[in-house]
């Protein structure tokens, strides 16, 4: 009887393992919720309503998201494309960068490492010594600037795409 029990245990473990493999195979296709756009394997949405940086982050959180982090220039151009497609041209827009915890130490609110940057010339300048939030589409270059977090601007949220 003992042997049978061991055999059954091993057999059920094998069944579990093969079940897991099937799940892994299906993970190759991803999807975003309605009205979210898939860019580089993540889901983005443009929020037109002007809000402070913190209110914009809170709004993203309410949708299971964070203010957008940006990984490379191609992703940045695609995020600019989202704003353009929404009819907001190259409007200044909040994304998830902030140095509120420590001046000149920039972090993304989604917890990912801030490696790629696209600062405008002479930015971030921490003008008036209280510029702690990252706006995109700044100046003629439509690049990044640090500005006062209390300013009300549209925003872009990001969240992970889900297995279909
Ligand atoms: Ca600063
Ligand atoms: Ca600035």
């Amino acid at each position: 009887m003992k042997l049978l029990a061991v055999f059954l245990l091993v057999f059920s473990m094998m069944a579990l393992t093969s079940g897991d493999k099937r799940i892994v195979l299906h993970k190759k296709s991803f999807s975003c919720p309605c009205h979210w756009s898939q860019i580089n394997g993540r889901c983005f949405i443009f929020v037109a309503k002007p809000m402070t940086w913190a209110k914009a982050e809170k709004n993203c959180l309410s949708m299971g998201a964070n203010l957008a982090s940006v990984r490379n220039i191609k992703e940045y151009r695609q995020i600019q494309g989202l704003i353009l497609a929404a009819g907001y041209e190259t409007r200044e827009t909040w994304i998830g960068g902030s140095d509120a915890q420590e001046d000149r130490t920039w972090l993304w609110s989604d917890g990912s490492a801030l490696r790629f940057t696209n600062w405008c010339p002479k930015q971030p300048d921490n003008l008036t010594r209280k510029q702690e939030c990252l706006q995109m589409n700044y100046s003629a270059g439509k690049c990044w600037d640090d500005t006062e977090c209390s300013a009300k601007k549209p925003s872009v949220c990001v969240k992970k795409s889900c297995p279909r």
Side-chain angles (χ1 to χ4, degrees), residues 30 32 38-44 71 75 159-162:
F30 294 92
C32 293
Q38 189 168 320
I39 297 172
N40 198 15
R42 295 188 295 164
C43 306
F44 291 79
R71 292 169 176 170
E75 219 174 82
K159 64 174 164 182
K160 283 177 189 160
S161 56
C162 296

Coordinates of all heavy atoms in Angstrom, one line a residue, residues 30 32 38-44 71 75 159-162:
F30 N -0.2 38.5 -25.3 CA -0.6 39.4 -24.3 C -1.7 40.3 -24.8 O -1.9 40.5 -25.9 CB 0.6 40.2 -23.8 CG 1.6 39.4 -23.1 CD1 2.7 38.9 -23.9 CD2 1.5 39.1 -21.8 CE1 3.6 38.1 -23.2 CE2 2.5 38.3 -21.2 CZ 3.6 37.8 -21.9
C32 N -4.2 44.0 -23.7 CA -4.5 45.2 -22.9 C -6.0 45.4 -22.8 O -6.7 45.0 -23.7 CB -3.9 46.4 -23.5 SG -2.1 46.3 -23.5
Q38 N -1.2 48.9 -26.5 CA 0.0 48.0 -26.2 C 1.2 48.6 -26.9 O 1.2 48.8 -28.1 CB -0.3 46.6 -26.7 CG 0.9 45.7 -26.1 CD 0.5 44.2 -26.3 OE1 -0.6 43.8 -26.1 NE2 1.5 43.4 -26.7
I39 N 2.2 48.9 -26.1 CA 3.5 49.4 -26.6 C 4.6 48.6 -25.9 O 4.7 48.6 -24.7 CB 3.7 50.9 -26.3 CG1 2.6 51.8 -26.9 CG2 5.1 51.4 -26.7 CD1 2.7 53.3 -26.5
N40 N 5.4 47.9 -26.8 CA 6.5 47.2 -26.3 C 6.2 46.2 -25.1 O 6.9 46.2 -24.1 CB 7.6 48.2 -25.9 CG 9.0 47.6 -25.7 OD1 9.2 46.5 -26.2 ND2 9.9 48.3 -25.1
G41 N 5.0 45.6 -25.2 CA 4.7 44.6 -24.2 C 4.0 45.1 -23.0 O 3.7 44.4 -22.0
R42 N 3.7 46.4 -22.9 CA 3.0 47.0 -21.8 C 1.8 47.8 -22.3 O 1.7 48.1 -23.4 CB 3.9 47.9 -20.9 CG 5.1 47.2 -20.3 CD 5.9 48.1 -19.3 NE 6.5 49.2 -20.0 CZ 7.0 50.3 -19.4 NH1 6.8 50.4 -18.1 NH2 7.6 51.2 -20.1
C43 N 0.9 48.1 -21.3 CA -0.3 48.8 -21.7 C -0.3 50.3 -21.3 O 0.0 50.5 -20.1 CB -1.6 48.1 -21.1 SG -1.6 46.4 -21.5
F44 N -0.6 51.2 -22.2 CA -0.6 52.6 -21.9 C -1.9 53.3 -22.1 O -2.7 52.8 -23.0 CB 0.5 53.3 -22.7 CG 1.9 53.0 -22.4 CD1 2.4 51.8 -22.9 CD2 2.7 53.8 -21.6 CE1 3.8 51.4 -22.6 CE2 4.0 53.5 -21.4 CZ 4.6 52.3 -21.8
R71 N 11.2 53.4 -21.3 CA 12.5 52.6 -21.4 C 13.4 53.0 -22.5 O 14.6 52.7 -22.4 CB 12.1 51.1 -21.5 CG 11.4 50.5 -20.3 CD 10.8 49.2 -20.6 NE 10.2 48.6 -19.5 CZ 9.5 47.5 -19.5 NH1 9.3 46.9 -20.7 NH2 9.0 46.9 -18.4
E75 N 9.9 53.9 -27.4 CA 8.8 53.8 -26.6 C 8.3 55.3 -26.4 O 7.1 55.5 -26.4 CB 9.2 53.2 -25.2 CG 8.1 52.3 -24.6 CD 8.6 51.6 -23.4 OE1 8.6 52.2 -22.3 OE2 9.0 50.4 -23.5
K159 N 0.5 50.0 -17.3 CA 0.4 48.8 -16.5 C 0.9 47.6 -17.4 O 0.9 47.6 -18.6 CB -1.0 48.5 -16.0 CG -2.1 48.3 -16.9 CD -3.3 48.0 -16.1 CE -4.6 48.1 -16.9 NZ -5.7 47.8 -16.0
K160 N 1.2 46.5 -16.7 CA 1.6 45.3 -17.3 C 0.5 44.7 -18.2 O -0.7 44.8 -17.8 CB 2.1 44.2 -16.3 CG 3.4 44.5 -15.7 CD 3.7 43.5 -14.7 CE 5.0 43.9 -13.9 NZ 5.1 43.2 -12.6
S161 N 0.8 44.1 -19.3 CA -0.2 43.5 -20.1 C -0.4 42.1 -19.5 O 0.4 41.6 -18.8 CB 0.3 43.3 -21.6 OG 1.5 42.7 -21.6
C162 N -1.6 41.6 -19.7 CA -2.0 40.3 -19.1 C -2.0 39.2 -20.1 O -2.3 39.4 -21.3 CB -3.4 40.4 -18.5 SG -3.4 41.6 -17.2

